[in-house]
Amino acid sequence: MAATEFQQTVGKIAGFTGTALHTGEKVTLRLHPAPVDHGIKFKRKDLQDEPTIDAKIENLKTVERATTIGEGSVRVHTVEHVLAALSAMGVDNAIVEMDANEPPIGDGSAQPYVDLIKKAGVTAQEEPRKFIDVREPMHVEAKTGALLVLLPDDKFRISCTQAGPNNQFTQFLSLELTPSIFECEIAPARTFVYYEDVEPLMDKNLIKGGSLENAIVVRGEAVLSKEPLRFSDEFVRHKILDIIGDLALVGRRIRGHVVAVKPGHAANADLARAVAREQTRRSALSVTRAVPRGDSGFDTDEVMQILPHRFPFLMVDRIIGFEGETKCIGIKTVTINEPFFQGHFPGHPVMPGVMQVEAMAQVASILLFKLAKTTSRIGYFMSADGVKFRKPVLPGDTIFIHAELTKSRGERLAKAKCHCVVNDAVVSEGELMFTFVDK
């Protein structure tokens, strides 16, 4: 089991002054420490009352060649490089104070922000980090040809393929994101633009601060820049940088593997929205339930008086209720200490489906034993039909196991329809048959 990771903020106030890419204005940016669960907020020091904007996907306003967030009439443009550096370097809580509406572009990379974070230092706080663990694949597609897929993983990984017009400068890179890897392999990668896009951007009153000192211009097969490419695949590295910054708008750290083809800010934002929606759904479903006890069910001791199973094969913690003579609900709390996690996908623990079927069988057995009013027999599992596994069951989940007796022949043969539920979603189901013999 991984050690608990704690939230972090910057150790002290630090800042620098530079030119904004799109507005061309001089701007001073300062990082300030912030308390736990504060997240990243941008403060407009130049405006009355110094309003702040949460760096959250719900505040995203535009993705025209950059990521703009806002609340009300207040905007902050081109936040992706700052957010990428803060997220990748492990800063969870900070105030980004600026005296203009756009951060300094620096050299077109995230390196100035990495340097600023190192200057300020990073300090651990007394509250665990908040993660969202990807449980099943999700994907977004755009008419531009962009495709992003997010897969389950115990780390945060990005595999990206970048291709320009007519697939020129096609590049691929795959890596696990850590602060050291970001600092060395991603942060120095500079923004780039295709020559044919420059004039339309200028017509839209953008890139006023753009120059070959802070951007790479691609014209045909030529690469125009004040200095040589820092990496042979600098373009795909900068695309990864943008993905990191845009996904930081989720507001939680992601454990998952991003597979991206021809990504852009719009597609990145769509994926961030999908992840945020999933987190909202989980939060709504994880409200603590009141579990009925007493005469309406069986506690653990009563379950063990009925079933012959014992650790590590007892799959029912208690029965929380009966409905008439043919239905009941059992409960099983899944912890990381379950013995099967040692060998079932180490590093990515998932409860084996066969153990879920066994849990269903045990709850169904209790139902039949109660109906027969005897525990002098042993139930044997005969068959399982229509078994389906719909969602993974992970450590920390609580399984509600539903069993309904659908057919019985005397007190010797029975069939039950069963399903397991986690957070109001069916994770597995099947129709089970048993026979009961005398001990």
Side-chain angles (χ1 to χ4, degrees):
M1 185 177 178
T4 301
E5 294 185 32
F6 289 91
Q7 295 179 31
Q8 297 186 130
T9 188
V10 291
K12 63 180 181 181
I13 299 172
F16 75 106
T17 301
T19 302
L21 172 63
H22 290 297
T23 64
E25 296 179 3
K26 287 292 182 183
V27 53
T28 297
L29 179 146
R30 291 187 177 87
L31 296 179
H32 293 251
V36 297
D37 294 331
H38 177 278
I40 306 299
K41 291 181 171 61
F42 286 80
K43 176 187 281 191
R44 288 287 303 276
K45 184 78 172 175
D46 57 315
L47 298 181
Q48 186 177 2
D49 298 328
E50 300 182 2
T52 61
I53 304 171
D54 274 340
K56 294 287 186 67
I57 189 63
E58 53 264 35
N59 290 329
L60 180 67
K61 298 304 178 184
T62 63
V63 286
E64 177 71 27
R65 300 295 303 188
T67 300
T68 295
I69 60 174
E71 291 189 59
S73 61
V74 182
R75 297 288 184 271
V76 176
H77 305 278
T78 323
V79 297
E80 61 270 22
H81 296 178
V82 187
L83 291 177
L86 289 168
S87 176
M89 297 301 289
V91 179
D92 302 282
N93 306 299
I95 297 171
V96 183
E97 179 189 278
M98 304 188 306
D99 58 5
N101 67 359
E102 188 179 12
I105 188 60
D107 62 358
S109 75
Q111 190 63 55
Y113 296 106
V114 170
D115 295 340
L116 183 62
I117 292 165
K118 293 178 73 173
K119 178 182 176 182
V122 177
T123 302
Q125 298 174 289
E126 296 181 356
E127 189 70 25
R129 272 185 172 149
K130 291 180 170 59
F131 289 88
I132 179 162
D133 292 285
V134 180
R135 296 182 176 181
E136 54 190 10
M138 58 183 74
H139 81 283
V140 297
E141 295 183 61
K143 293 179 180 179
T144 60
L147 170 66
L148 282 84
V149 180
L150 183 55
L151 303 170
D153 203 299
D154 58 348
K155 305 289 185 182
F156 182 37
R157 307 176 196 271
I158 300 179
S159 299
C160 182
T161 300
Q162 160 59 20
N166 301 315
N167 293 323
Q168 68 177 139
F169 295 102
T170 298
Q171 299 173 357
F172 171 79
L173 183 64
S174 181
L175 47 77
E176 175 191 336
L177 187 67
T178 66
S180 59
I181 288 174
F182 180 81
E183 180 180 354
C184 298
E185 305 294 335
I186 300 300
R190 295 161 294 168
T191 193
F192 63 96
V193 64
Y194 294 98
Y195 181 79
E196 52 268 31
D197 294 334
V198 171
E199 188 173 351
L201 289 171
M202 294 176 68
D203 290 342
K204 292 179 180 179
N205 223 21
L206 298 174
I207 63 169
K208 290 181 178 179
S211 72
L212 293 181
E213 293 185 354
N214 54 38
I216 302 167
V217 177
V218 180
R219 185 174 187 179
E221 296 298 320
V223 176
L224 311 177
S225 175
K226 185 180 179 181
E227 64 175 275
L229 289 177
R230 296 174 176 176
F231 307 94
S232 61
D233 56 355
E234 189 164 355
F235 299 160
V236 72
R237 291 171 189 258
H238 190 81
K239 286 293 186 179
I240 290 175
L241 191 160
D242 284 343
I243 291 171
I244 297 165
D246 291 337
L247 289 185
L249 292 172
V250 170
R252 284 177 177 248
R253 296 189 173 271
I254 297 171
R255 288 194 184 109
H257 186 172
V258 179
V259 180
V261 179
K262 295 184 179 180
H265 291 298
N268 298 346
D270 286 343
L271 183 60
R273 287 190 190 94
V275 176
R277 283 195 299 269
E278 173 63 13
Q279 176 55 40
T280 299
R281 187 189 70 83
R282 291 187 196 177
S283 297
L285 293 174
S286 62
V287 177
T288 303
R289 297 167 178 260
V291 179
R293 302 196 65 176
D295 294 339
S296 62
F298 295 150
D299 62 21
T300 305
D301 288 339
E302 290 170 316
V303 167
M304 292 175 68
Q305 289 173 24
I306 297 172
L307 294 178
H309 307 81
R310 294 295 180 267
F311 179 84
F313 218 66
L314 181 62
M315 292 289 114
V316 186
D317 291 338
R318 62 184 186 270
I319 299 297
I320 62 173
F322 293 92
E323 186 178 329
E325 296 292 328
T326 60
K327 295 181 182 179
C328 75
I329 303 174
I331 192 171
K332 164 70 177 171
T333 300
V334 182
T335 76
I336 191 61
N337 298 315
E338 305 288 349
F340 44 74
F341 284 142
Q342 298 178 28
H344 197 257
F345 302 162
H348 184 65
V350 176
M351 184 178 184
V354 67
M355 306 307 286
Q356 297 173 50
V357 174
E358 177 61 28
M360 291 188 259
Q362 292 183 16
V363 172
S365 296
I366 290 174
L367 183 60
L368 195 68
F369 281 135
K370 181 176 185 293
L371 189 62
K373 297 181 173 59
T374 177
T375 59
S376 62
R377 298 188 182 96
I378 296 177
Y380 285 91
F381 200 2
M382 291 180 66
S383 67
D385 296 319
V387 175
K388 295 178 182 177
F389 303 106
R390 300 188 179 278
K391 293 177 179 289
V393 176
L394 307 174
D397 284 342
T398 298
I399 307 176
F400 289 80
I401 309 149
H402 297 249
E404 179 182 4
L405 201 63
T406 57
K407 187 179 295 185
S408 63
R409 294 181 186 174
E411 297 174 356
R412 298 287 179 179
L413 195 66
K415 183 178 283 189
K417 192 173 183 179
C418 306
H419 63 276
C420 293
V421 173
V422 174
N423 289 336
D424 291 339
V426 175
V427 295
S428 57
E429 60 185 303
E431 192 169 28
L432 313 181
M433 183 174 284
F434 314 82
T435 186
F436 294 83
V437 299
D438 294 329
K439 292 182 180 179

